[in-house]
Amino acid sequence: MKFIDEYRGAPEAQQFLRAIERLVTRPWTLMEICGGQTHTLVKSGLDRLLPPAVRLVHGPGCPVCVTPLELIDRALALAARPEVLFTSFGDMLRVPGSTTDLLSVKAAGGDVRIVYSPLDAVKLAQKYPEREVVFFAVGFETTAPANAMAVYYAKQLGLTNFSILCAHVLVPPAMVALLSAPATQIQGFLAAGHVCAIMGYHEYLPIAAQYRVPIVVTGFEPLDLLQGIYMTIAQLERGTWSVENQYARAVTLAGNQHAQRLMAEVFAVRDRQWRGIGLIPQSGLGLREPFAAYDAEVKFQVSAITAPESPLCIAGLIMQGRARPSDCTAFGTRCTPEQPLGAPMVSSEGACAAYYQYGRGADFSLPLAALPQQDATNLPER
Amino acid sequence: MCLGIPGKVLAIEPNALAMPMGKVSFGGIVKEICLAYTPEAQVGDYVVVHVGFAISIVDEAEARKVFAYLREMEELADLELEQPE
Ligand code: SF4
């Protein structure tokens, strides 16, 4: 087993689809949290093969998309400084700030570099002691341990020319915010498998019980998603709301304790703005006091920059499951991957990018046989 | 962002600051991966890798359960079809 191709078989997918069809007696609305799952659903055509009674809405699980505009503008201000070597994951580069993006700053002479891992940014700081290396630390719980290690490691090495622009967000508080919104339509969640690989899924037990929603921890391949959908609907049809784990090959109830320990040592929980959604209490991470010297906002005094959101983009509604990308009047016309108005059009996990890339809105569906065989080729960029 | 890709651990080697690093193969593409969060990983294990870090060891027994689940589901459906109400 290689744990990829096995979960892409068309006959098994058909079996799951038939089973879901047999199971459904009325309409249900489920939300997949993670943008990676949105992409699998749309790319494999599963969103069109599911019975019409099963409605999937796309969640806020695209960290690039929820990073507030003012943080992007701070990143742009930092990247433009002559002493700064600015490092970032690839899909942050095209995200529009209020006037420009990182790629344009790079084209204008800013030293902006894409890294695969935050440790690569630390290595750059070692290699160029005369430069100030700043890493744009964007991500959910999945990425936080890696970024925590980068800071911890830089401190162990005694580096003084490394810092991070911290934009970390947490999933469970966002789920609570979505569920407590007055007109919420979400009846069940597919929880993000890799977030749970780090955090486990005990945090979801009180959420499922309080809001009476089934939550199924789900993986990222087509068969994972189909099984997650089957398990969630089986609960809805039965009238139960427990937390189940579809992705047990990578997720345990307690999660990865080694990662949680370093995350807790380096980061503290803070209130955080989500782009398009607003402030969600206790939903972000900031650096703890012993690591304050590694906080780029403090080091370079950029925290005063604030910016308003564009009124055209409905990304906030999409990420709350209240609209789909095809509902946006700018979709595919004024907003395209070449001329994006919002982050979800350019992030590799953005719902608008998935709809655009795989022709949702146009009239064709991808057969399951067209699933790609190997994902490892995507590796160097991310 | 939360992309995680399973790869096979080919070698484990601690670096200067005692951070366990390893060579992990993704269908033939080999990368240097930090194993600090999966210290139990052995050569030959599959790990889920995200931004250069192994975040969990793939449990092979659990990995097969999707297919067992599928079989059970089908058997159940056959049973239901055979028994008219
Ligand atoms: S299509 Fe563009 S403008 Fe519309 S919601 Fe998506 S990112 Fe925003």
Side-chain angles (χ1 to χ4, degrees):
Chain A
M1 274 189 116
K2 293 211 169 60
F3 311 105
I4 299 176
D5 300 352
E6 299 91 336
Y7 302 95
R8 293 181 179 174
E12 290 86 355
Q14 295 294 356
Q15 271 177 282
F16 267 123
L17 284 164
R18 281 197 300 273
I20 292 168
E21 204 137 342
R22 286 195 297 266
L23 193 62
V24 178
T25 64
R26 69 193 108 148
W28 298 112
T29 299
L30 318 183
M31 174 180 273
E32 84 279 0
I33 300 282
C34 175
Q37 295 171 327
T38 307
H39 272 250
T40 304
L41 283 167
V42 179
K43 186 178 190 171
S44 61
L46 290 181
D47 59 335
R48 291 186 160 172
L49 294 168
L50 284 163
V54 180
R55 184 166 169 263
L56 287 163
V57 291
H58 317 307
C62 165
V64 169
C65 304
V66 301
T67 300
L69 198 55
E70 59 232 44
L71 259 174
I72 310 274
D73 284 346
R74 286 172 209 169
L76 295 166
L78 283 170
R81 290 170 79 120
E83 77 275 28
V84 168
L85 192 172
F86 195 85
T87 54
S88 166
F89 294 134
D91 53 1
M92 217 59 213
L93 261 66
R94 306 273 333 278
V95 173
S98 27
T99 56
T100 181
D101 59 28
L102 280 168
L103 205 61
S104 309
V105 171
K106 184 178 166 72
D111 194 352
V112 178
R113 302 192 199 182
I114 295 174
V115 289
Y116 160 64
S117 165
L119 289 183
D120 295 340
V122 177
K123 282 186 204 143
L124 284 169
Q126 276 182 290
K127 191 168 168 195
Y128 300 106
E130 74 290 354
R131 311 276 293 147
E132 278 291 346
V133 174
V134 180
F135 175 67
F136 202 171
V138 174
F140 284 110
E141 290 92 330
T142 316
T143 319
N147 294 347
M149 181 64 86
V151 172
Y152 182 83
Y153 191 50
K155 192 175 182 191
Q156 270 197 310
L157 290 168
L159 293 176
T160 55
N161 65 328
F162 177 79
S163 58
I164 67 167
L165 182 58
C166 190
H168 270 291
V169 277
L170 302 172
V171 169
M175 284 166 72
V176 169
L178 293 181
L179 287 170
S180 24
T184 186
Q185 294 173 5
I186 305 160
Q187 293 165 298
F189 277 112
L190 306 182
H194 291 144
V195 166
C196 298
I198 300 293
M199 302 306 290
Y201 53 92
H202 49 88
E203 290 177 281
Y204 300 133
L205 303 177
I207 300 176
Q210 186 183 344
Y211 296 94
R212 303 185 163 202
V213 283
I215 301 176
V216 177
V217 178
T218 303
F220 296 81
E221 297 298 339
L223 294 189
D224 291 325
L225 284 154
L226 284 168
Q227 190 185 6
I229 292 167
Y230 181 90
M231 290 166 80
T232 313
I233 292 177
Q235 283 208 49
L236 287 166
E237 292 283 349
R238 281 201 305 268
T240 59
W241 48 81
S242 56
V243 180
E244 294 181 285
N245 183 11
Q246 182 277 328
Y247 199 39
R249 68 180 183 276
V251 174
T252 59
L253 177 64
N256 185 325
Q257 315 252 333
H258 304 285
Q260 289 172 27
R261 212 170 299 131
L262 197 75
M263 236 174 108
E265 184 174 339
V266 174
F267 293 123
V269 176
R270 306 261 165 88
D271 293 348
R272 172 61 74 182
Q273 285 283 344
W274 292 53
R275 187 171 190 169
I277 297 177
L279 185 101
I280 303 177
Q282 303 290 293
S283 69
L285 296 174
L287 286 167
R288 284 191 189 277
E289 176 52 37
F291 299 94
Y294 296 90
D295 188 338
E297 288 191 55
V298 176
K299 192 169 185 177
F300 300 100
Q301 310 267 303
V302 284
S303 42
I305 299 170
T306 58
E309 301 282 352
S310 154
L312 289 170
C313 181
I314 62 160
L317 291 178
I318 292 169
M319 290 186 292
Q320 295 171 72
R322 291 158 183 268
R324 296 212 235 181
S326 41
D327 300 327
C328 173
T329 53
F331 177 82
T333 54
R334 272 171 300 169
C335 179
T336 61
E338 291 72 36
Q339 294 286 328
L341 286 182
M345 188 53 99
V346 285
S347 165
S348 58
E349 287 169 314
C352 302
Y355 272 57
Y356 190 89
Q357 213 173 331
Y358 304 113
R360 292 303 180 270
D363 195 31
F364 87 116
S365 83
L366 277 180
L368 274 165
L371 297 179
Q373 288 308 302
Q374 189 52 271
D375 255 1
T377 44
N378 294 335
L379 210 61
E381 289 108 67
R382 178 34 61 91
Chain B
M1 178 76 51
C2 294
L3 185 63
I5 298 178
K8 190 176 187 171
V9 179
L10 300 181
I12 300 172
E13 41 213 37
N15 76 355
L17 282 169
M19 180 149 61
M21 298 294 289
K23 288 205 179 355
V24 176
S25 166
F26 304 91
I29 300 170
V30 178
K31 289 189 76 91
E32 201 75 42
I33 299 300
C34 178
L35 299 175
Y37 295 134
T38 53
E40 310 85 358
Q42 307 279 330
V43 170
D45 282 348
Y46 273 81
V47 288
V48 176
V49 172
H50 172 70
V51 299
F53 287 73
I55 59 171
S56 79
I57 302 172
V58 178
D59 183 324
E60 304 217 10
E62 290 292 346
R64 291 175 214 281
K65 287 198 182 155
V66 174
F67 306 100
Y69 191 90
L70 208 54
R71 277 196 301 277
E72 274 167 34
M73 223 170 53
E74 291 282 297
E75 279 161 21
L76 209 68
D78 290 347
L79 230 65
E80 276 165 17
L81 287 178
E82 280 162 22
Q83 294 176 357
E85 275 149 51

